[in-house]
Amino acid sequence: MPVKVSVCMIAYNHAAFIAQAIEGVMQQQTSFDVELVIGEDCSTDNTRVIIQDYQRQFPEKIKLLLPEKNLGMMANFSQTLQACTGTYVALCEGDDYWTDPHKLQKQVNLLEENPSFSISFHRVKVIHENNPALDYISNPDQQEETTILDLALNNYIHTVSCVFRNHQTVLPASFHASPVGDYLLHLLNAQHGKIHFLPATMAVYRVHAGGVWGEKNRAEQFTKWDIVLQLAMAHFQGKVKKTLIKQRKNNLRELNKLYKKLNQPNPLRWRFYWIYFINFLNKIN
């Protein structure tokens, strides 16, 4: 009998956090079967040893993917996602964790009762390991129901909060070139239905020095996000593509402002003008 929910968890050098991530999954109270699929990408710390210990404790619930050499974040994410066989997929990276034992039950119930929705997400607590004064609760004014057009304007879905219908989406080759994987995945899933928001805070997103995104300086974030949007634009047409272009214009505009404030030349200034040209071509076509 197929499992109802697969939890997709990628891990690399998460020895300090991975136990908490796994415990959050194992503590879920559900009326259906849940599997945890962990892709461990040849960490240089004790991450692999820790997840193997947990797999011995829960052999029927935990499936491990243990490549012999480092794949890189996007390839590891893609491989782990493809190994998820559940009707629904939940995301939880190895340095984040769930805090509500009924999280999966609530989100799956919602998707089961509302077939027009493809994605469920919720508020998370964002914690800063190096500066707790910066902690906050996400999505304070979030709409309950949104669509792919809303998502194309701004990524408001925290990965650790997301549960979606498993369409066995084949991720494009360009996915591996992206600095961030979840946004393109959310967009691809949002093609199949609406997005539902639960106002409960049921997980923690951890910002730490070893994180891929959270502690990067703002210029680097804007620069990487431009790559994400550039890759995403290639996979959509019509209103979705035009909305992604609008987001990319806004992102490049903010990057321009930042470099002016720093009194430094913007190495991506040419992209700022190029995206306006692309926007012009879209308007006349």
Side-chain angles (χ1 to χ4, degrees):
M1 185 174 178
V3 68
K4 178 71 79 172
V5 176
S6 295
V7 181
C8 176
M9 181 179 291
I10 58 172
Y12 178 73
N13 285 354
H14 288 158
F17 314 120
I18 191 73
Q20 197 169 22
I22 294 172
E23 290 288 349
V25 178
M26 293 297 102
Q27 291 171 8
Q28 290 298 301
Q29 299 174 24
T30 63
S31 60
F32 45 78
D33 290 335
V34 176
E35 68 170 0
L36 172 57
V37 184
I38 308 177
E40 198 291 307
D41 200 17
C42 296
S43 298
T44 59
D45 62 11
N46 265 354
T47 301
R48 184 165 291 199
V49 173
I50 294 168
I51 66 171
Q52 288 174 323
D53 285 345
Y54 271 100
Q55 202 273 336
R56 283 189 284 270
Q57 293 178 55
F58 304 99
E60 296 180 357
K61 288 191 172 185
I62 298 178
K63 180 196 302 184
L64 301 184
L65 302 180
L66 305 173
E68 294 183 1
K69 61 180 182 178
N70 181 266
L71 302 175
M73 184 176 67
M74 292 299 100
N76 187 37
F77 185 24
S78 179
Q79 179 175 284
T80 308
L81 191 62
Q82 295 302 316
C84 292
T85 60
T87 306
Y88 301 95
V89 175
L91 302 176
C92 182
E93 295 186 358
D95 52 352
D96 301 326
Y97 60 98
W98 298 342
T99 55
D100 186 335
H102 304 290
K103 167 193 154 69
L104 287 182
Q105 188 73 58
K106 292 174 185 176
Q107 290 183 274
V108 169
N109 284 351
L110 187 142
L111 291 170
E112 295 269 275
E113 294 164 7
N114 297 276
S116 64
F117 287 97
S118 179
I119 301 171
S120 168
F121 76 108
H122 55 77
R123 287 194 176 108
V124 306
K125 183 177 182 180
V126 179
I127 64 170
H128 294 73
E129 292 282 312
N130 296 330
N131 192 352
L134 297 177
D135 295 356
Y136 66 93
I137 303 297
S138 73
N139 307 87
D141 303 310
Q142 182 64 50
Q143 289 177 263
E144 181 179 340
E145 181 179 313
T146 53
T147 70
I148 190 171
L149 288 178
D150 300 296
L151 190 61
L153 192 56
N154 176 38
N155 183 22
Y156 43 82
I157 300 175
H158 274 279
T159 304
V160 69
S161 76
C162 187
V163 176
F164 57 88
R165 298 185 192 278
N166 190 1
H167 303 288
Q168 287 293 312
T169 302
V170 177
L171 297 171
S174 61
F175 181 83
H176 293 184
S178 177
V180 179
D182 58 343
Y183 186 46
L184 179 56
L185 176 63
H186 297 333
L187 287 167
L188 292 170
N189 285 327
Q191 294 179 113
H192 299 284
K194 296 180 291 185
I195 305 164
H196 189 277
F197 170 69
L198 286 168
T201 303
M202 298 191 286
V204 168
Y205 170 77
R206 197 191 307 265
V207 179
H208 59 93
V212 173
W213 191 255
E215 291 256 333
K216 303 297 183 186
N217 67 59
R218 293 183 68 216
E220 187 177 351
Q221 284 185 349
F222 286 130
T223 301
K224 285 190 173 184
W225 197 247
D226 184 66
I227 297 171
V228 174
L229 295 174
Q230 186 177 10
L231 292 170
M233 282 166 48
H235 299 287
F236 298 93
Q237 299 299 324
K239 290 182 179 179
V240 176
K241 184 170 185 176
K242 288 179 180 179
T243 307
L244 285 167
I245 289 171
K246 183 177 180 181
Q247 184 188 166
R248 192 175 177 206
K249 282 168 58 181
N250 292 339
N251 184 68
L252 287 169
R253 186 181 296 115
E254 291 303 312
L255 184 61
N256 241 356
K257 288 180 184 177
L258 180 59
Y259 276 109
K260 283 183 179 179
K261 187 176 179 180
L262 296 171
N263 198 26
Q264 296 177 3
N266 180 0
L268 299 186
R269 189 173 182 82
W270 64 272
R271 290 191 194 177
F272 185 69
Y273 297 110
W274 177 246
I275 197 65
Y276 272 90
F277 178 64
I278 294 174
N279 191 45
F280 171 74
L281 291 179
N282 274 274
K283 283 183 178 178
I284 64 175
N285 286 331

